[in-house]
Amino acid sequence: MTATATAAALPTDQDLLARFGPLFDHIATGSALREVQRKLPSTEVESLKTAGFGALRIPQDRGGLGASLPQLFLLLTNLAAADSNLAQLWRGHFAFVEGLLLDDGGPRAERWFPVIAGGAMIGNASSELTGASLKDISTTISAVDGDLLLEGTKYYSTGSIYADWIAGSAISDGERVSYAVAAGAPGVECLDDWNGFGQRLTGSGTTVFRSVRVDPADVRPFNKSQPSHVHAFFQLVLVASLAGIARAATDDVVAFVAPRTRTYANATSSVPAGDPQVQQVIGEVSSLAFSAEASVSAAARALGKAFGVLTEATGPGVRRDAVDEAELAVYQAQVTVIDQVLSATSRLFEVGGASAVSIERGLDRHWRNARTIASHNPAIYKARSVGGWELTGELDRFNT
């Protein structure tokens, strides 16, 4: 955050909820139908851009809203409750912004703050299907006749279909670099071929680059030596998306049960809403959702603390410790929230029998979406990292 932005001028949670809450409510009204029809939420993404959602973390004196990290994750959780696809597809954009904020006052921030404050969205295209892990990259940037040309194929390009710019990673002169190119540039092709059974509207498909010209100013080497909160940030967006799914599942199961008059012959009440066992199931789902949101909030505070340390004039050891604390909090949240949300989204079907599995009602989307998000970064590796930290005081990042 820049020194000219004062605490008194920053938005409150209530300010941000008042600004974006009605838009989230509108997005929620079509969520189930979009899933059934597999209709990409392009209109909804554009509405968020127009409302300034993408500029949440940009400093106010640079045209943004100046929101804190806890505030961003509050809004991401609320957006996920409206439509979890939308929360996830903004993941690359906000991670890109976090990288800029670490460079506040530097050339990258000077280049991109006005672009994003003007409404542009940044998509993500880093991962590939080649190689043995996410670390293996075959996409290249090469100098050809005085131009830098980007060549390669990316997958899991979440958000890129909706984006104005696409950022990712490539190899240039044998070194790993990051890049950003206009989504509409000649040679860029975004395909909606994501074939997962959940989160089907995130645009997480293939992006192909065929001799795409790259501005040298938008290519930079990776700096692995500087501590950064961005990795933990990436993970927490997924956890916030899960928490939002749990809240949506709670709302949907309540809306399903409350007006029902049909019940079972051996039920203890003439209507489902009065049945103590049905009430218990809804209470369990609601409580799991509450716990998931509380975990996201706690991890977001740890991430905000780490960001504050990273942007102050402190020693590298202090910065690394702060990042470790934030990553640990995010890993712990991930390990617990996944089980909580999968339990909630499966348990809710106990209240309605066969009618609860109606395709039109779309209650199944909550479990499918949660299971898909949970599979992105398997929690078994995070649990092992947390256990190793408890035993040794060191956080293993090999599998992160």
Side-chain angles (χ1 to χ4, degrees):
M1 197 67 64
T2 59
T4 56
T6 63
L10 298 179
T12 65
D13 292 358
Q14 291 71 27
D15 292 335
L16 294 170
L17 291 171
R19 176 170 181 150
F20 293 103
L23 179 53
F24 292 169
D25 291 341
H26 177 72
I27 288 170
T29 59
S31 176
L33 185 60
R34 285 194 297 273
E35 289 261 354
V36 171
Q37 298 179 343
R38 205 183 189 284
K39 180 183 178 182
L40 295 175
S42 301
T43 300
E44 289 72 19
V45 172
E46 289 302 318
S47 296
L48 288 166
K49 291 181 186 179
T50 300
F53 188 70
L56 271 168
R57 289 277 290 150
I58 302 296
Q60 289 182 332
D61 64 343
R62 308 304 300 276
L65 299 181
S68 68
L69 275 168
Q71 288 174 326
L72 172 61
F73 280 99
L74 171 65
L75 291 178
L76 283 173
T77 302
N78 285 8
L79 179 57
D83 187 331
S84 62
N85 293 278
L86 283 158
Q88 186 187 349
L89 68 82
W90 281 93
R91 182 180 179 225
H93 172 92
F94 284 115
F96 186 88
V97 172
E98 290 304 307
L100 297 177
L101 290 168
L102 294 179
D103 186 46
D104 195 357
R108 290 185 66 240
E110 292 296 320
R111 160 83 171 92
W112 287 102
F113 278 169
V115 175
I116 295 170
M121 178 185 180
I122 315 297
N124 179 60
S126 290
S127 301
E128 301 180 7
L129 294 179
T130 57
S133 75
L134 296 179
K135 298 177 182 179
D136 297 325
I137 297 173
S138 59
T139 299
T140 60
I141 295 178
S142 305
V144 179
D145 297 330
D147 290 321
L148 290 181
L149 299 183
L150 175 65
E151 195 84 34
T153 300
K154 299 290 189 178
Y155 195 57
Y156 305 117
S157 307
T158 303
S160 291
I161 284 178
Y162 310 97
D164 303 287
W165 292 82
I166 301 175
S169 55
I171 300 298
S172 180
D173 291 329
E175 299 294 331
R176 181 166 175 165
V177 299
S178 66
Y179 62 84
V181 296
V188 178
E189 183 181 12
C190 296
L191 304 175
D192 181 27
D193 59 351
W194 165 241
N195 64 355
F197 62 62
Q199 294 296 97
R200 296 186 299 165
L201 308 182
T202 57
S204 299
T206 301
T207 301
V208 182
F209 301 105
R210 298 183 180 91
S211 299
V212 179
R213 287 184 174 86
V214 187
D215 188 330
D218 294 328
V219 179
R220 69 183 183 97
F222 271 74
N223 187 348
K224 297 181 179 180
S225 63
Q226 290 296 325
S228 170
H229 68 305
V230 175
H231 170 73
F233 179 92
F234 265 115
Q235 301 308 310
L236 191 54
V237 174
L238 296 179
V239 182
S241 298
L242 286 166
I245 288 172
R247 189 199 301 173
T250 303
D251 293 343
D252 279 1
V253 74
V254 169
F256 171 59
V257 169
R260 278 177 62 82
T261 57
R262 182 178 176 84
T263 189
Y264 292 97
N266 56 346
T268 59
S269 172
S270 59
V271 293
D275 191 316
Q277 289 180 293
V278 172
Q279 292 172 355
Q280 177 183 345
V281 170
I282 292 177
E284 290 170 348
V285 171
S286 173
S287 299
L288 289 166
F290 172 84
S291 181
E293 289 192 55
S295 294
V296 171
S297 179
R301 290 194 299 273
L303 200 63
K305 178 181 177 182
F307 174 78
V309 172
L310 289 171
T311 53
E312 294 170 356
T314 54
V318 175
R319 291 196 295 269
R320 172 53 67 193
D321 288 346
V323 169
D324 282 354
E325 291 177 11
E327 290 196 349
L328 180 66
V330 172
Y331 294 173
Q332 290 170 322
Q334 181 182 0
V335 169
T336 56
V337 168
I338 285 175
D339 285 345
Q340 290 167 342
V341 178
L342 290 177
S343 175
T345 55
S346 178
R347 188 95 172 99
L348 65 85
F349 290 98
E350 298 294 334
V351 303
S355 57
V357 301
S358 162
I359 292 176
E360 289 75 15
R361 186 164 283 114
L363 293 179
D364 63 303
R365 76 187 190 278
H366 298 308
W367 184 89
R368 288 188 294 100
N369 289 339
R371 181 63 268 175
T372 300
I373 292 173
S375 298
H376 276 58
N377 297 93
I380 56 173
Y381 298 115
K382 301 303 189 293
R384 184 187 60 77
S385 294
V386 172
W389 179 87
E390 293 285 3
L391 292 168
T392 67
E394 296 182 2
L395 196 62
D396 179 11
R397 295 180 186 79
F398 182 78
N399 288 306
T400 61

